[in-house]
Amino acid sequence: MTLDPVHVDGIAKLAGQVRETVETSDQEAAAEEVWESFLDPLWQDGTKILEPLDEQRRRKVPIEDIALADPPFPTQHGLDSGTINPTTFKNGLVLDVAQAAMGSVPSDVELHRGRTIIMAVHSNDATLGFDGDWQGGDRGYAKRRVLDVPQVDRYEQRVVHALALYLAESQHALTNADVVEDLFILDGPIYPTGVLRWADRDTELADLLAEDDRPKTVVNNYVDLVERFVERDVPMVGFIKNSSTKALTRALRRKTNAPWVNDTAFFRRILERRDDEGELQTDCLTATNWFRSRGGTDGIMAADGDALGIERSLDPEAYEVTFFVLYDPRSDLVFRIEAPYAFTKDPECRAKLTRQILHDVAREQGPPLAIGKADELAKIDRQGSEELTRRIERTFETDREREFNDIRWGAVEESF
């Protein structure tokens, strides 16, 4: 430890000073005011960016009861993708490798073996091209290809990571969509927000998103996915474990005191249940109603959004993002569950999706089992990432670029 005890004590006193200041503001009252007065609907610049699909309300369900109830969907399929994380090499290449896998409940060993693998590569040398055709592997269970990502002056790592991750995920979902019988659950949002956020992050990234076909192709895959499941009348949802959206809180700051750092902090505040002594009650899951969202990146897929110019075969409203928020007091975690409006416009389907997710979270004490399985299949752990990177180094006959912190924090081993 680099701090002496006397310094730790001093920092703790500073934290106490900050706490006294925070406690002078009544965040609970502010949250209740927002909930009661601003969300039915929430307007921004003449547009409804948030509105309830049905009665705006909070609900609670005993954890034990919902965990033991029969789930509305007999089978569930989940999908996730994992990467080695962006890596820069001394030959000037920046790349990331992603693999996607699907899990099912009940288990399907044949399905679990399947993989879609993408190596996304960036180079500032305009004379080089890396795009390749799809290749098979593992006796037909794997599909893999190289993706030549668009050239950028900055954000190379961000671009290779997003395109590898979302292309692997969406392609694997499309490849296996027809095996899903009752419910499809994406581990994450229903659209590739990591790409869609480029529109707001930087002019270079915004131009890339608007003008280059490669990121549009990735987004188009998700549009195709919605259309495929609507055509088959099989609901799909996105289960977001770590939502960082700020669309709601940014809009609220124009209207009232909104002290929350993001939307998750606001929803946690209104979904917590405490007794008269202020102790958190942990016997029930709590959740909001479903909302229709057109704020932030959700606006791109709204009925009046341009969808990046991607052709949509359904009524544009069908693609709109709807969501509800679930709070699990056992872990003090907030989850955002998304679905296309094509499914949630039906009250019966909406209710079944809500019950299924509540059942799964209550039983698993976390994300649904289907995406828990997919996560285990798709993730590339640190040891695997290091081994794969070393193999790529040998293939390139060059090393990755190292920084001092790689050695300082043990990210890589120094060799002589």
Side-chain angles (χ1 to χ4, degrees):
M1 187 172 182
T2 58
L3 290 172
D4 292 333
V6 64
H7 302 311
V8 174
D9 291 341
I11 293 170
K13 290 179 181 178
L14 293 177
Q17 178 182 332
V18 172
R19 176 185 174 184
E20 290 174 3
T21 304
V22 172
E23 286 180 343
T24 61
S25 66
D26 194 341
Q27 292 192 15
E28 183 176 352
E32 290 296 331
E33 179 188 3
V34 166
W35 177 258
E36 296 295 335
S37 305
F38 290 94
L39 303 186
D40 190 13
L42 177 62
W43 292 85
Q44 179 176 299
D45 300 330
T47 299
K48 294 178 183 179
I49 67 166
L50 193 77
E51 61 177 325
L53 284 182
D54 48 18
E55 179 187 358
Q56 182 182 321
R57 62 193 177 105
R58 287 167 284 189
R59 63 195 75 182
K60 64 179 181 179
V61 58
I63 291 173
E64 184 174 349
D65 291 351
I66 193 66
L68 295 175
D70 291 331
F73 297 95
T75 65
Q76 308 95 46
H77 288 76
L79 189 138
D80 194 17
S81 57
T83 78
I84 66 170
N85 290 323
T87 306
T88 302
F89 293 86
K90 292 179 181 179
N91 59 7
L93 298 182
V94 183
L95 66 80
D96 201 353
V97 177
Q99 71 163 347
M102 184 176 281
S104 65
V105 178
S107 291
D108 181 341
V109 176
E110 293 282 308
L111 178 71
H112 291 179
R113 184 172 172 179
R115 296 290 189 278
T116 298
I117 300 169
I118 299 292
M119 175 181 286
V121 185
H122 176 278
S123 173
N124 282 322
D125 187 343
T127 66
L128 299 179
F130 305 103
D131 268 340
D133 296 329
W134 286 103
Q135 302 175 27
D138 189 21
R139 299 182 179 180
Y141 286 96
K143 291 174 56 179
R144 56 180 184 256
R145 65 166 288 196
V146 174
L147 175 69
D148 187 6
V149 307
Q151 285 189 325
V152 289
D153 292 328
R154 298 179 293 167
Y155 309 116
E156 299 93 342
Q157 293 200 346
R158 180 177 295 174
V159 171
V160 297
H161 177 72
L163 293 185
L165 183 77
Y166 289 117
L167 182 57
E169 177 181 89
S170 59
Q171 192 63 49
H172 199 70
L174 288 170
T175 299
N176 295 281
D178 290 344
V179 307
V180 181
E181 299 175 351
D182 298 302
L183 176 64
F184 178 60
I185 311 174
L186 271 170
D187 191 344
I190 59 173
Y191 297 114
T193 54
V195 173
L196 296 178
R197 286 195 186 112
W198 294 357
D200 298 325
R201 290 288 174 90
D202 178 86
T203 301
E204 184 181 14
L205 289 178
D207 291 344
L208 185 66
L209 184 59
E211 299 170 3
D212 196 285
D213 288 339
R214 282 162 288 189
K216 283 186 181 180
T217 297
V218 171
V219 179
N220 190 77
N221 278 356
Y222 288 84
V223 172
D224 288 347
L225 201 59
V226 172
E227 293 171 352
R228 179 83 68 87
F229 281 105
V230 170
E231 179 184 356
R232 299 185 61 237
D233 195 26
V234 175
M236 62 175 288
V237 299
F239 190 94
I240 306 174
K241 295 175 285 191
N242 300 293
S243 175
S244 59
T245 179
K246 298 183 179 182
L248 186 153
T249 45
R250 283 174 177 165
L252 288 172
R253 290 192 186 104
R254 302 184 182 186
K255 303 174 182 293
T256 185
N257 175 35
W260 311 286
V261 67
N262 54 31
D263 298 356
T264 294
F266 164 73
F267 283 114
R268 175 182 282 107
R269 180 67 66 171
I270 64 166
L271 290 174
E272 285 180 338
R273 296 166 52 248
R274 296 186 179 273
D275 60 24
D276 294 339
E277 284 72 42
E279 293 295 319
L280 184 65
Q281 297 179 283
T282 60
D283 59 322
C284 293
L285 298 179
T286 53
T288 68
N289 54 280
W290 284 86
F291 288 96
R292 197 169 176 172
S293 176
R294 304 182 188 93
T297 58
D298 294 344
I300 296 174
M301 290 299 171
D304 59 354
D306 66 359
L308 304 179
I310 294 169
E311 183 178 351
R312 294 177 283 184
S313 63
L314 306 174
D315 185 323
E317 284 192 339
Y319 303 87
E320 289 197 325
V321 176
T322 64
F323 74 92
F324 80 95
V325 177
L326 185 158
Y327 174 66
D328 187 345
R330 297 169 297 179
S331 56
D332 191 32
L333 292 177
V334 176
F335 304 115
R336 171 174 159 131
I337 295 84
E338 296 183 349
Y341 181 64
F343 299 111
T344 56
K345 66 182 179 181
D346 175 29
E348 182 179 352
C349 181
R350 198 162 63 229
K352 288 175 65 177
L353 291 174
T354 304
R355 289 198 304 273
Q356 180 70 51
I357 297 300
L358 288 169
H359 164 82
D360 289 348
V361 171
R363 186 167 182 172
E364 298 301 319
Q365 298 191 42
L369 180 58
I371 59 173
K373 290 184 178 183
D375 177 76
E376 285 296 318
L377 294 166
K379 72 179 180 181
I380 304 174
D381 61 20
R382 179 173 172 178
Q383 180 179 353
S385 177
E386 283 295 315
E387 180 181 353
L388 183 55
T389 302
R390 286 193 292 268
R391 289 286 300 273
I392 295 171
E393 285 179 319
R394 291 197 294 270
T395 301
F396 283 172
E397 296 184 348
T398 188
D399 297 328
R400 80 193 87 174
E401 287 190 350
R402 288 172 168 82
E403 298 177 347
F404 178 72
N405 282 342
D406 293 330
I407 300 170
R408 181 185 183 192
W409 300 114
V412 297
E413 296 179 2
E414 184 68 290
S415 58
F416 297 94

